[in-house]
Amino acid sequence: MASITLTPSEKEIQTFVQKHEHALTPSKNPYIRYFLKLPQASVSVYTSGKVLLQGEAAESYARFFGYQVEQVVSGQNFPLIGTDEVGNGSYFGGLAVVASFVTPDQHDFLRKVGVGDSKTLTDQKIRQLASLLKEKIQHQALLLSPSKYNEVIGERYNAVSVKVALHNQAIYLLLQKEVEPEKIVIDAFTSSQNYQKYLKNEANHFSNPVTLEEKAEGKYLAVAVSSIIARDLFLENLENLGRELGYQLPSGAGAASDKVASQILQAYGMKGLSFCAKLHFKNTEKAKQLLER
């Protein structure tokens, strides 16, 4: 059942009530000025000036007040930007965020090469696919290194707002390349309200609306492309950091990460750990405890 709340002018209210005077019905609610029982809908006009329309025909009656049904774009048969991030749940390595622009004429190619939910792909397959996708698909990749991550977390950003900043910047930079998406989708990592709250603190803004959708990676090829490129970027960063320190850095935040972190801590101290890991994770304290045993 549709439910629509509007705040029309007093003139519009009076005109609507006069037009449907035959439908006026007494209401026991002291805050309702007019209550109208219409075919397939009821209309409550409150003393506050708000008008509540409910029922199957609510949208039809709401058009009298200038209400327009929002056209929700579904599917992906149109130019679309999709973004995703990788590295958020890993103690070692940076945070990679990628925005990709995909058009319908690229869908067959993407499906043919095996683009889909990257969680179902091996790292080896992702590395192979990523080099092809980076060449064929317009995208914008950003990597926040662990040392830079540690620098901004706690001062300017938290674990959520830093992702908002990266996703927003990746989309902003991609839009500068004169792509024209009909929709922008972010694989949801927070609520839309939170996203908009943190977005206010960012310097770069654009007029295109943004949609946050859960499990978007499995719904939109553009998000899947971003996930694959971001995973490749994260893995490359993990390898490079480990090579510089002389350790094989594991992905994730399990016991293996605690063990390697304690070894790095012993060899290089906190400076070495800050270079390759996200220090606010609980793994840092666990690594210190392992050293004390």
Side-chain angles (χ1 to χ4, degrees):
M1 181 180 73
S3 181
I4 302 167
T5 302
L6 304 171
T7 310
S9 68
E10 180 62 24
K11 184 178 179 181
E12 288 175 320
I13 290 173
Q14 292 302 327
T15 303
F16 183 86
V17 170
Q18 288 171 17
K19 181 180 179 181
H20 299 286
E21 193 173 359
H22 62 279
L24 280 168
T25 306
S27 172
K28 294 180 181 179
N29 187 332
Y31 299 106
I32 291 180
R33 289 165 61 197
Y34 306 109
F35 181 69
L36 301 95
K37 278 191 174 181
L38 296 160
Q40 295 185 295
S42 65
V43 179
S44 303
V45 180
Y46 289 85
T47 54
S48 63
K50 290 193 181 298
V51 176
L52 174 65
L53 302 95
Q54 293 178 298
E56 290 180 21
E59 289 177 356
S60 177
Y61 291 107
R63 290 194 188 100
F64 175 87
F65 300 107
Y67 176 79
Q68 291 183 331
V69 181
E70 184 179 349
Q71 296 299 313
V72 179
V73 181
S74 59
Q76 57 177 329
N77 196 31
F78 44 81
L80 188 146
I81 286 178
T83 76
D84 203 2
E85 86 278 340
V86 174
N88 178 58
S90 180
Y91 179 57
F92 290 113
L95 182 57
V97 173
V98 175
S100 300
F101 177 69
V102 170
T103 55
D105 62 316
Q106 295 171 318
H107 290 179
D108 286 344
F109 157 73
L110 292 173
R111 291 191 177 103
K112 193 177 292 184
V113 298
V115 171
D117 190 331
S118 69
K119 294 179 180 65
T120 66
L121 302 174
T122 64
D123 284 348
Q124 184 181 5
K125 180 66 174 176
I126 282 172
R127 303 304 293 271
Q128 291 171 351
L129 266 178
S131 70
L132 180 62
L133 296 176
K134 284 187 283 187
E135 181 185 334
K136 300 286 187 182
I137 304 296
Q138 277 191 285
H139 67 283
Q140 178 65 55
L142 299 175
L143 177 74
L144 186 65
S145 68
S147 55
K148 188 64 179 178
Y149 182 94
N150 293 324
E151 184 184 318
V152 300
I153 290 293
E155 289 189 13
R156 291 176 55 202
Y157 296 98
N158 60 36
V160 174
S161 65
V162 74
K163 284 188 282 185
V164 171
L166 289 169
H167 278 268
N168 178 70
Q169 183 68 358
I171 296 166
Y172 175 82
L173 292 174
L174 184 54
L175 288 170
Q176 301 308 298
K177 298 176 183 178
E178 298 184 355
V179 300
E180 295 183 358
E182 287 186 22
K183 186 174 182 178
I184 299 176
V185 178
I186 295 175
D187 196 27
F189 56 86
T190 187
S191 67
S192 294
Q193 292 89 336
N194 254 355
Y195 188 90
Q196 294 301 326
K197 179 181 75 173
Y198 291 127
L199 190 60
K200 292 175 183 176
N201 299 323
E202 296 306 306
N204 294 326
H205 295 269
F206 46 86
S207 59
N208 310 60
V210 169
T211 303
L212 278 80
E213 290 191 36
E214 292 184 2
K215 300 179 180 178
E217 189 181 341
K219 302 176 188 174
Y220 303 97
L221 287 166
V223 178
V225 168
S226 291
S227 182
I228 290 168
I229 296 175
R231 179 70 182 171
D232 176 66
L233 184 58
F234 167 77
L235 290 171
E236 183 181 34
N237 179 242
L238 202 63
E239 287 177 7
N240 291 339
L241 292 170
R243 194 178 297 116
E244 286 200 47
L245 295 172
Y247 290 89
Q248 186 171 351
L249 303 178
S251 178
S257 295
D258 300 339
K259 185 177 179 181
V260 174
S262 68
Q263 294 169 353
I264 293 173
L265 200 55
Q266 188 171 38
Y268 299 104
M270 284 300 295
K271 186 176 180 181
L273 207 52
S274 179
F275 172 74
C276 64
K278 303 177 187 75
L279 296 182
H280 72 90
F281 278 43
K282 292 178 180 178
N283 302 79
T284 302
E285 292 306 314
K286 291 178 182 177
K288 290 177 181 177
Q289 290 169 9
L290 284 175
L291 272 186
E292 293 170 358
R293 289 179 186 175

